[in-house]
Amino acid sequence: MINPAEKRQFILYDYLQVAGGAERLTQTLAEALPDFQMVVSQIYPDYRHLADTYSGAPLILSKGIDHLLGRIPAAILNFSLRTQFLCDADTVLYSGFYAPLAVRHQQRGCRIYYCHTPPRYAFDLKQKYLGRLRPSLRPGFRAFTHWIKNRYLTSIHKMDRVIANSDNVRARLLNVAGIDAEVVHPPIDTDRFCWLGQDNYYVSTARLESNKRVDLIVEAFQRMPDQRLIVLSGGSALKRLKTRAGRMSNIHFTGWQTDEQLRRWIGNAIATLYIPVNEDFGMSPVESMAAGKPVIGVAEGGLLETILDGQTGILLPTEPTIDHIITAVRQLTAHRALAMRQGCKARARLFSRDIFIDRMRAILKGDDFHQ
C-alpha cells in the first residue's frame, strides 16, 4: 500500500478510463519521473490495455461504494476531500478537469497545470449539451456547470504555471480563463510506431463517440464496398455503429486493442482516417505519421498543428460530408500514401516522446521558467 505521506512530488489526473491520449500522456510522465507518484480517482476496465504496459502503482483515491456515484461525482469528491496529503508537497502536476480541485490542499511547493482542454460542457459547448437533455434535467445541469466552472477557474488561477497541449487549447484557455498558457505538445512514441508494410485497408483510430464523427467514416465505406476499413477502438457508440454497418464485409470493428495490436494494424495500413470535431490535439494522427502512414483529417482544432495538407495527409473541410470522405479515400491511394511515407515520419519526429519528456522535466525542475 502506497503511503502518500512518504512522497513529496505527485502527478494528478482525473481517472484512467480508456487507452486514450490523456491516459497515455499521464502514464508516460509517471514512467519518466519515478520520483513522482501518480494519483487518480479510479481506474476503469477499458484502461487495461495501457495498464499492462505500466509497472508502477497509481494511488487510487476512491473508496468503498464510490463507484456507485459515477465517474465525475466520484472524481470531484476524491480530489476535493481526499487530497490533504498534498499539504507539504514540493511539486504537483495537475491535469484533467477535476484533479485541479485538489490544489486548495497544497500549501507550499510548485503548482503546475497541464491542460488537455477546459471542460467544454461548462463553457463553449454548454448549450449543445443542454439541448441533448430532457427539460426536467436542464436546471440541474445548469446548476452543476455553474458550480464546476467557478471551481475550475478558481483552481487553475492558483497554479504557478499553466501548460496547454496545443495552440488550439491555449486559445481556449485564454478565452475562458484569461490565462496565456505555454504549449508543450503531447508525447508520441515515434520508435514504437513504425512502417511494417502496406496491406489493402484503411484504419479509424478515434474513440466511438458522437464528437469523433466515426459514423460518417463508416457510412462512407458502406458506399465503397471495394475499400476496407478497420475500426480500432471502442466507445459508447460501438453497438450502434456495428448495427449501422450491418453485414458489410469490408468494415471490421476490433474493439479496443493492445498497444502491440494497434502498432501492427497501423503499421500495415494504407492510411488513417481521423475527423473529430475541433480536436484538442489528437495523438492518433501523429502516431499514424510516425509509422509512415498519412492521415485523412479535418481542417480544424489540433490537426491543423500536425497534418500538412497534401504532404502528410489530406485535410477535409470543417463540416465534412460522406462525399468528402469518399473523395479523399479515392485520392489517397496506396501509391500516393507510399509517396508520403518519409514526409510523415519526419513530421512525427517533431512531436517525439523524448522532446516532450525533456521539456516537462525542465519545467518540473523549474529550469526554464517563462515569465
Side-chain angles (χ1 to χ4, degrees):
M1 183 70 179
I2 297 169
N3 180 4
E6 298 174 356
K7 289 281 188 174
R8 302 291 290 274
Q9 300 180 106
F10 300 89
I11 298 169
L12 272 61
Y13 180 62
D14 294 346
Y15 37 70
L16 301 174
Q17 181 183 357
V18 298
E23 288 85 354
R24 289 177 185 276
L25 184 148
T26 302
Q27 183 169 306
T28 294
L29 276 173
E31 290 169 343
L33 302 166
D35 292 336
F36 282 72
Q37 173 63 56
M38 185 200 299
V39 181
V40 297
S41 172
Q42 186 55 281
I43 298 177
Y44 295 93
D46 282 339
Y47 171 72
R48 64 189 182 277
H49 298 311
L50 275 184
D52 292 342
T53 67
Y54 177 47
S55 59
L59 173 63
I60 301 172
L61 298 175
S62 284
K63 301 177 181 177
I65 60 172
D66 282 3
H67 64 281
L68 299 178
L69 296 175
R71 289 191 302 271
I72 293 175
I76 291 172
L77 168 70
N78 285 315
F79 288 109
S80 296
L81 302 179
R82 293 176 179 162
T83 49
Q84 290 88 348
F85 57 85
L86 297 177
C87 63
D88 291 324
D90 290 332
T91 305
V92 182
L93 176 67
Y94 300 85
S95 188
F97 299 161
Y98 314 111
L101 302 184
V103 73
R104 70 190 185 97
H105 293 299
Q106 186 181 351
Q107 301 301 313
R108 54 182 295 277
C110 186
R111 308 164 184 87
I112 300 171
Y113 178 46
Y114 188 97
C115 182
H116 300 280
T117 183
R120 303 185 67 194
Y121 65 80
F123 290 100
D124 58 312
L125 297 183
K126 180 176 179 179
Q127 294 305 314
K128 183 175 181 179
Y129 278 85
L130 271 171
R132 297 174 181 172
L133 297 175
R134 296 195 303 270
S136 61
L137 298 177
R138 292 172 187 172
F141 180 78
R142 288 192 183 95
F144 169 69
T145 53
H146 176 75
W147 180 85
I148 195 64
K149 176 180 177 179
N150 288 335
R151 289 293 304 277
Y152 175 81
L153 290 175
T154 298
S155 297
I156 66 174
H157 275 283
K158 290 181 178 178
M159 303 295 174
D160 298 306
R161 194 165 185 178
V162 177
I163 302 162
N165 72 350
S166 62
D167 289 320
N168 184 37
V169 169
R170 175 176 175 265
R172 286 184 199 160
L173 272 173
L174 187 60
N175 182 51
V176 305
I179 294 174
D180 191 7
E182 56 195 288
V183 174
V184 178
H185 291 117
I188 306 301
D189 193 341
T190 52
D191 292 328
R192 181 167 64 90
F193 288 92
C194 58
W195 174 273
L196 297 176
Q198 191 183 66
D199 208 336
N200 64 335
Y201 62 83
Y202 297 80
V203 296
S204 168
T205 55
R207 193 166 62 251
L208 303 183
E209 307 294 343
S210 60
N211 65 317
K212 302 298 184 178
R213 294 192 284 214
V214 180
D215 56 333
L216 295 181
I217 296 173
V218 170
E219 289 186 42
F221 277 81
Q222 284 181 288
R223 288 168 49 181
M224 294 186 292
D226 59 317
Q227 301 291 337
R228 293 177 62 206
L229 172 69
I230 311 296
V231 182
L232 300 173
S233 58
S236 64
L238 177 59
K239 184 176 180 181
R240 176 174 59 83
L241 290 175
K242 290 179 76 171
T243 300
R244 175 176 291 183
R247 301 192 178 197
M248 296 292 295
S249 61
N250 66 316
I251 302 174
H252 177 61
F253 293 84
T254 67
W256 290 111
Q257 297 286 279
T258 66
D259 274 7
E260 178 59 21
Q261 289 169 330
L262 193 65
R263 186 183 78 88
R264 290 187 176 277
W265 279 116
I266 293 174
N268 284 293
I270 296 171
T272 294
L273 289 94
Y274 193 82
I275 57 168
V277 178
N278 197 13
E279 181 77 331
D280 308 326
F281 172 73
M283 294 173 70
S284 291
V286 190
E287 291 171 343
S288 176
M289 290 189 291
K293 309 297 179 174
V295 181
I296 295 173
V298 60
E300 63 180 3
L303 275 65
L304 288 170
E305 300 173 46
T306 57
I307 301 170
L308 300 178
D309 190 27
Q311 299 178 51
T312 67
I314 296 174
L315 290 175
L316 306 181
T318 55
E319 294 292 338
T321 65
I322 294 170
D323 286 336
H324 287 139
I325 297 169
I326 291 173
T327 299
V329 171
R330 297 295 189 196
Q331 290 176 345
L332 194 52
T333 62
H335 178 74
R336 187 177 179 193
L338 187 60
M340 294 183 179
R341 176 181 170 183
Q342 295 306 322
C344 286
K345 293 172 69 175
R347 183 66 176 169
R349 282 194 289 271
L350 300 178
F351 306 92
S352 75
R353 182 178 182 273
D354 289 345
I355 290 174
F356 170 81
I357 290 173
D358 288 347
R359 186 85 171 90
M360 291 304 297
R361 278 179 175 156
I363 287 170
L364 291 166
K365 290 179 181 178
D367 291 343
D368 70 338
F369 198 95
H370 293 281
Q371 298 297 327

